[in-house]
Structure formats: C-alpha cells, structure tokens
Amino acid sequence: MRGPPRTESSLEAATLPRVDAIDWGTAQRVGELIAGSPPDGGVSAGSVQPLAQDFAARVSAYSGLELPGALPELEAVSRPRWIEANLATMRPLMEELAQRMEGQQRTPFGKPRTGWALGLPEAMRVASGLLLGAQVGALTGMLSQRVLGQYDLALLDPTVTPRLLLVAPNLAQAAENLDVDRQELLVWVTIHEVTHAIQFSGAPWLREHLAGLLRELMDGLQVNVSLTQLLRPPGSGDLRTLAERLRRGEIMRLTIGEERWELVERIQSAMSLIEGHAEHVMDAVGADVLPELPRLRAAMNRRRETRGLPWRVLERLLGLELKL
C-alpha cells in the first residue's frame, strides 16, 4: 500500500538529525572555563548532614510550615558540578522556549519566516547553537563563582527530585575572605537551603504558582525588538528614546514587551518574598545554634554590597536585581 506523498520538508525532518537550539556541551565547557575549579577547602556535606533534620524541625516549628516526609541529601559540589546541575535544570525550559520562538517565526502555511537562526542553512543553526551555548555557559560560570548553596528545584517538572547543593570551594573561600568560622558559615547556609525545601513542601501551591507564571510568560513570549530595530531605529527621536531606555537598563523589557514584562516583575516579586522569608528564618533559627550569628550576618551583608563590576553591569543592562 502506498502511503501519502512525502514533501521536501517531511524528507528533511526524516533525514536531518535534530539540533538543539543551544549547544549544551559548549555551555558546560565555557562555564567551567570561566568558573575555574578551586579546591573544596575541606568543606564536607557529611559534617552537617546529621544536623539537617534538626534544622528542618526548628524551621518548621518557627515558620509553621509542615515538615516534608524526607529532605534531599545534602551534597557538597564543585563549581563544574554546580554548573552541570543547573544546566540540567535549565535545559527543558530553554529548549521549550526556543521551540516556541521558532514556531512564532513560521507563517500560517508552515513555512519559516526570515529571522535570526531560522530558515537558515543547518550550519548557521549549529553556529547559533554554539553562540547561545557560550552565552548560557558564561552566565552559569559567573554565577558558580558566587553561589554558596542552592535548593535546586525543577519548577516545570515535578517528577524531578529536588537537590540541596552546597558549593564547597565558594563556602571555603567566603569563610576565609570574610574572616568567619567555616563550619558556622556552612551551618548557616544549610539552614537557609533547608528553609527553601520546607517552603515548597509546606506550601504545595507555591511551586505550581511559580510554574504557572513561568508557563504564562513562555506562552505569550515574543521578541518584539529585533537586532535591526535596535541598531537602526526609524528616527532621531526614537534613537534618543532607545538610548535612554538602554541607559536605564531596559534591554529585557524592550525585547519581550510591556505585557510580558509585568509577568517578569510578578515572578521577581514572588522570588523576593521566598528569599526574604528564608533570610529571616535562617537568622531566627540560627540565633539558637550559631554563637557568631551577628558577625556572620554583618559579613554576608558586606559580601553582597561589594559585588564586582561584571555583576553590577549585568544587573544594569537587564534591569534586574540578580538573586545570588
């Protein structure tokens, strides 16, 4: 029996291997290159793991949030392993976003519109994947130098088991640079990340709320300002307006549009509440177990206030307060 005729596009789909929008191998390599791989400084998850359940009970009692059935095991990781974990969490989200954007670049008849990385030869798509991989890798590489701990949660996939990560070399370096006790800093950061775990288990709606905002952002996301528009605005008045908005750090806002930007602000507001609550709880619980808590808090505040020039430039360009 003869099947339906195969079009040129269907033949291409059958013969060409799928190319990810982002080259994740490049992202990992670039991230590791920027991050470096300093030693762990003797920081071990095993030294705090026996205390984790006690910290969880204290956080639950103070916050009124129900304890989870079981906490994820604490993991002390290197910078490369932290990058690997975060790229794994980002990959489904970024690939889905790229596919949605590609769909927006097609006409009602399914033919690609002209646009960046779309409707181009396969070699060009590979090149764009390399470039995006380098950009994602550069960002995660920068972040890996600063993050002390993380509750790693895949918002859009509840089947993925969350992880409690402690970035060992960063904790060791921070303790030395801030002149604080390394073990007390480790305990304090552990309380913070355990608090995040209890927030999401004790308030089950929280994860779906954030995931819903993220899905809504992705569903309607369009790139409203092309590179050509940025480089060649139609008039001098527009050029001055564009320059002023760029100076105020509105690149992302210009790119995704006002309606989508409101969703970004809602997501930021929710994350600020989550983070602020964890900051409060870690101090309240830490006061009972950390003799040097006031010194730790003062040192941490100094660390945040003295972030380097690349961070300040990035925040300014994007118009975001980056959450460390």
Side-chain angles (χ1 to χ4, degrees), residues 55-76:
F55 296 156
R58 290 172 182 267
V59 169
S60 176
Y62 180 79
S63 65
L65 294 171
E66 187 176 344
L67 275 172
L71 285 173
E73 289 286 317
L74 290 166
E75 302 175 56

Side-chain angles (χ1 to χ4, degrees), residues 146 174-180 188 293-308 312 324:
R146 295 281 294 181
E176 181 178 354
N177 294 340
L178 299 174
D179 191 25
V180 296
W188 196 41
L293 178 62
R295 189 175 179 206
L296 281 170
R297 171 51 67 192
M300 184 65 74
N301 290 342
R302 287 197 307 272
R303 181 178 187 265
R304 289 170 175 170
E305 291 166 2
T306 57
R307 64 194 184 280
R312 297 196 300 272
L324 297 181

Side-chain angles (χ1 to χ4, degrees), residues 55 59 187-195 281-282 285-286 289-290:
F55 296 156
V59 169
V187 166
W188 196 41
V189 171
T190 297
I191 294 172
H192 183 103
E193 303 311 330
V194 165
T195 299
V281 171
M282 73 188 285
V285 172
V289 296
L290 297 169

Side-chain angles (χ1 to χ4, degrees), residues 120-128:
L120 299 177
E122 196 67 18
M124 293 292 288
R125 293 177 63 90
V126 172
S128 70

